[in-house]
């Protein structure tokens, strides 16, 4: 019998697949759906201090090999998600509360609010939304990440991780990993969408905000996601777990993320298209690959990518 159990910091999970923030996690109804599904846990939509409408529509489009979006962080505000999470038991397992400040001050306000609430589970700090008009992705500013995390860890003592944008240069992996290794992070989640792609149909862009520029997700980005998972697996200290996100549509994709070093695997575009029933399928497909290869648990192959 194959076992899909995994751990992340002090927490353990029955399985290894869950939603990616932004997909099927906007409100109580969607979060309840995830809790009723085979997803092993869930992450909320990234919360800002105040509720946000997000960018003008159309702002999401499914395209042949994935999706393009410029949602602009529509969310119900931190208080809504904290209220919800206060009803969920955090024990051996934990949900993830995703947050993102529109400024450094707002990030601190969010984290202090979490710290003074009764929620004591995992927190994901999103440093990588590419769709905020006029705001850069902090994950690409190594010094900015260093400064922010220095301030955060001066007071924040709950299990915290960061959601990163994709990197494309080995020097950039070295630089950001060196910064991240200085902090008691529980995890890094890699990758967010590939920012500012352009999808064209006939002569026209596919989404309205930013004249069509948006984050690319789905199968287009799997090789980039796997490269980021493995590059961080090679560089981060072992106490920082890796969550792999990007291009997961099948059990084989989950297998590849784990082979590259992921402890949990998140699903975005394919969950949007298929709904929460996808988790049953992914689990069954992963189990059948493991059985065929004679692997009994994820540790049998996690990070054990073969090189030529
Ligand atoms: C969005 O709401 O624009 C997407 C969130 C993200 O990519 O972090």
């Amino acid at each position: 019998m194959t076992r899909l159990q995994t751990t992340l910091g002090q927490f353990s999970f029955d399985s290894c697949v869950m939603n990616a923030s932004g997909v099927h996690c906007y409100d109580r109804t969607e979060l309840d759906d995830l809790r009723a599904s085979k997803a092993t846990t869930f992450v909320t939509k990234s919360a800002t201090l105040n509720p946000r409408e997000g960018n003008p529509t159309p702002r999401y489009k499914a395209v042949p090999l994935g999706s393009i979006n410029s949602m602009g962080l529509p969310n119900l505000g931190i208080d809504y998600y904290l209220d919800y999470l206060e009803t969920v038991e955090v024990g051996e397992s934990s949900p993830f509360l995703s947050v993102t400040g529109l400024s450094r001050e707002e990030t601190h306000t969010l984290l202090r609010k979490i710290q003074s609430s009764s929620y004591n589970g995992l927190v994901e700090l999103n440093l990588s939304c590419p769709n905020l008009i006029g705001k850069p992705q902090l994950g690409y500013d190594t010094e900015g990440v260093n400064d922010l995390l220095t301030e955060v860890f001066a007071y924040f003592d709950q299990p915290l991780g960061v959601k990163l944008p994709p990197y494309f240069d080995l020097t950039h992996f070295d630089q950001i990993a060196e910064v991240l290794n200085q902090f008691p992070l529980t995890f890094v989640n890699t990758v967010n969408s590939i920012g500012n792609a352009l999808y064209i149909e006939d002569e026209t862009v596919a989404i309205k905000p930013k004249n069509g520029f948006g984050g690319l997700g789905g199968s287009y980005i799997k090789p980039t996601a796997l490269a980021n998972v493995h590059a961080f697996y090679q560089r981060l200290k072992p106490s920082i777990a890796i969550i792999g996100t990007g291009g997961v549509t099948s059990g084989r994709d989950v297998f590849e993320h784990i082979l590259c070093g992921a402890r949990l695997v998140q699903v975005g575009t394919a969950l949007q298209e298929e709904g929460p029933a996808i988790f049953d399928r992914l689990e069954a497909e992963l189990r059948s690959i493991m059985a065929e290869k004679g692997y009994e648990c994820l540790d049998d192959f996690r990070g054990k990518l073969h090189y030529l």
Side-chain angles (χ1 to χ4, degrees):
M1 181 60 183
T2 51
R3 297 188 305 279
L4 304 185
Q5 281 94 345
T6 191
T7 58
L8 195 110
Q10 72 205 70
F11 299 104
S12 56
F13 301 89
D14 290 344
S15 173
C16 58
V17 283
M18 60 181 290
N19 70 305
S21 179
V23 182
H24 215 97
C25 57
Y26 175 75
D27 61 14
R28 279 170 195 277
T29 310
E30 291 190 340
L31 292 166
D32 283 346
D33 284 350
L34 291 175
R35 288 173 67 199
S37 79
K38 284 293 269 298
T40 194
T41 183
F42 65 89
V43 56
T44 66
K45 175 66 186 170
S46 293
T48 48
L49 187 57
N50 299 119
R52 281 173 61 84
E53 292 283 329
N55 291 340
T57 58
R59 57 193 183 184
Y60 173 93
K61 174 98 181 167
V63 293
L65 295 177
S67 64
I68 185 163
N69 90 83
S70 182
M71 302 300 288
L73 290 174
N75 77 90
L76 293 162
I78 184 69
D79 291 340
Y80 182 94
Y81 299 103
L82 272 178
D83 274 358
Y84 183 80
L85 289 170
E86 281 171 348
T87 67
V88 175
E89 196 190 330
V90 175
E92 282 183 11
S93 193
S94 170
F96 292 70
L97 170 55
S98 176
V99 291
T100 190
L102 299 177
S103 64
R104 205 191 274 195
E105 294 66 39
E106 183 173 322
T107 298
H108 291 308
T109 308
L110 288 163
L111 294 175
R112 287 186 196 282
K113 232 177 196 301
I114 295 168
Q115 188 128 284
S116 59
S117 76
S118 64
Y119 176 68
N120 60 359
L122 287 154
V123 178
E124 175 172 290
L125 180 57
N126 182 355
L127 302 179
S128 51
C129 178
N131 306 325
L132 291 172
I133 294 164
K135 287 195 188 292
Q137 288 159 273
L138 187 64
Y140 287 134
D141 171 4
T142 312
E143 232 178 272
V145 172
N146 184 55
D147 293 348
L148 179 67
L149 292 181
T150 301
E151 291 171 4
V152 164
F153 282 110
Y155 63 89
F156 196 75
D157 56 14
Q158 279 182 236
L160 180 78
V162 287
K163 175 96 174 258
L164 298 175
Y167 299 90
F168 302 93
D169 189 292
L170 294 183
T171 306
H172 295 162
F173 285 118
D174 293 340
Q175 290 167 349
I176 191 74
E178 193 184 331
V179 166
L180 298 172
N181 276 333
Q182 291 169 44
F183 298 99
L185 286 162
T186 300
F187 67 92
V188 304
N189 184 349
T190 178
V191 296
N192 206 322
S193 59
I194 296 183
N196 297 300
L198 198 53
Y199 190 86
I200 298 171
E201 288 169 326
D202 189 15
E203 298 183 23
T204 309
V205 298
I207 53 173
K208 184 173 173 66
K210 293 166 78 178
N211 287 340
F213 287 82
L216 193 64
S219 297
Y220 294 108
I221 77 166
K222 188 179 78 170
T224 296
L226 295 176
N228 276 258
V229 169
H230 200 57
F232 283 114
Y233 184 73
Q234 292 169 320
R235 287 166 176 76
L236 292 179
K237 58 187 180 185
S239 58
I240 305 181
I242 296 167
I243 301 177
T245 305
V248 175
T249 66
S250 68
R252 171 71 204 184
D253 300 326
V254 178
F255 178 82
E256 290 178 13
H257 270 271
I258 295 166
L259 193 65
C260 287
R263 299 193 80 84
L264 278 167
V265 178
Q266 295 189 346
V267 189
T269 300
L271 168 61
Q272 176 68 34
E273 298 311 309
E274 202 171 320
I278 193 172
F279 296 110
D280 277 293
R281 179 174 68 75
L282 294 176
E283 228 186 70
E285 290 173 1
L286 176 61
R287 280 187 197 281
S288 117
I289 293 166
M290 287 170 62
E292 205 174 291
K293 289 176 174 286
Y295 294 140
E296 290 176 358
C297 64
L298 303 184
D299 280 338
D300 287 349
F301 63 99
R302 181 185 291 111
K304 296 182 181 162
L305 181 62
H306 297 192
Y307 304 134
L308 298 180

